[in-house]
Amino acid sequence: MVLETKITKLFGIRHPIIQGGMHYVGYAGLAAAVANAGGLGLVTALTQPTPEALAAEIKKAQGLLKPGCEGAVGVNLTILPMFSEVDYGAFRDVIIDSGVKVVETAGRPPGEFVEAFKQNDMKIIHKCVTTRHAKSAIKMGADAISLDGFECAGHPGEEDIGNMILQAMGARELTVPYVMSGGVGNGRQLAAALTLGASGGG
């Protein structure tokens, strides 16, 4: 059964499933496998030691896509203030030059990055843990939100809000499509996400 949602339409994917950025997990092989299965697979930028290495990893993921692939490969760029030595501008430019059409941003407010990506006809999904942060990202131009409940884990700035509460808040407060991230591992949990108001799971 194919579930068409606002997220599948926005990102041009078959299934409303997103493999979000995961440090030292989001490599080309995983991102391509998710895309080939019809979801959105994301290469994690900061897992790569340099912008040049990221360019190679994105190219590798794109090379693993099967003919007629109904999903998509994108990139996660997490902007962390404590990583002051990272040349975020160079990573941004590599992402733009790679030809991907979807970027997941996370970390600090992504305004300047969203602007650059949007100028290149890219879609932005911003990962955050509160509807307050989500609404701020939407004002900056985010097209969608990855609303991460406490079940998601491993995300800076966790507010300890579980998805049963957070996703219902998203349905009430957000004006763009969002996905429920954290604790979505099977069809029943995806169905729960959709019932709570999300347009997919991650």
Side-chain angles (χ1 to χ4, degrees):
M1 183 172 98
V2 176
L3 295 171
E4 186 177 78
T5 72
K6 293 177 181 177
I7 284 291
T8 62
K9 293 177 184 177
L10 179 65
F11 296 140
I13 56 179
R14 182 174 175 83
H15 302 298
I17 296 172
I18 297 176
Q19 167 252 311
M22 294 178 282
H23 208 40
Y24 297 114
V25 177
Y27 290 105
L30 177 60
V34 172
N36 284 325
L40 173 62
L42 299 173
V43 173
T44 304
L46 294 192
T47 292
Q48 301 302 317
T50 65
E52 293 76 18
L54 173 61
E57 194 71 11
I58 296 170
K59 186 175 181 179
K60 180 179 177 182
Q62 292 167 331
L64 292 170
L65 298 180
K66 298 176 181 177
C69 173
E70 294 184 290
V73 165
V75 179
N76 162 275
L77 180 64
T78 300
I79 309 140
L80 298 174
M82 67 280 289
F83 288 177
S84 58
E85 73 282 1
V86 173
D87 187 349
Y88 285 104
F91 277 96
R92 175 203 60 213
D93 293 345
V94 161
I95 294 168
I96 290 170
D97 292 342
S98 73
V100 300
K101 292 301 179 185
V102 183
V103 179
E104 178 188 65
T105 56
R108 73 171 173 82
E112 62 189 277
F113 296 93
V114 169
E115 183 178 350
F117 293 139
K118 300 281 275 189
Q119 287 173 354
N120 288 274
D121 299 319
M122 302 165 86
K123 300 295 184 185
I124 313 300
I125 180 167
H126 184 68
K127 181 186 292 187
C128 48
V129 298
T130 68
T131 54
R132 177 171 56 88
H133 295 153
K135 287 185 276 190
S136 177
I138 292 166
K139 287 180 182 177
M140 294 177 192
D143 300 290
I145 296 295
S146 174
L147 201 52
D148 291 19
F150 189 55
E151 297 89 338
C152 195
H155 189 279
E158 290 287 6
E159 295 290 334
D160 297 2
I161 304 172
N163 272 326
M164 288 294 286
I165 295 171
L166 187 59
Q167 304 306 314
M169 292 174 67
R172 185 176 66 231
E173 299 177 27
L174 302 186
T175 57
V176 301
Y178 67 95
V179 297
M180 180 172 100
S181 293
V184 182
N186 60 37
R188 289 176 176 171
Q189 289 160 331
L190 176 59
L194 298 174
T195 300
L196 285 165
S199 293

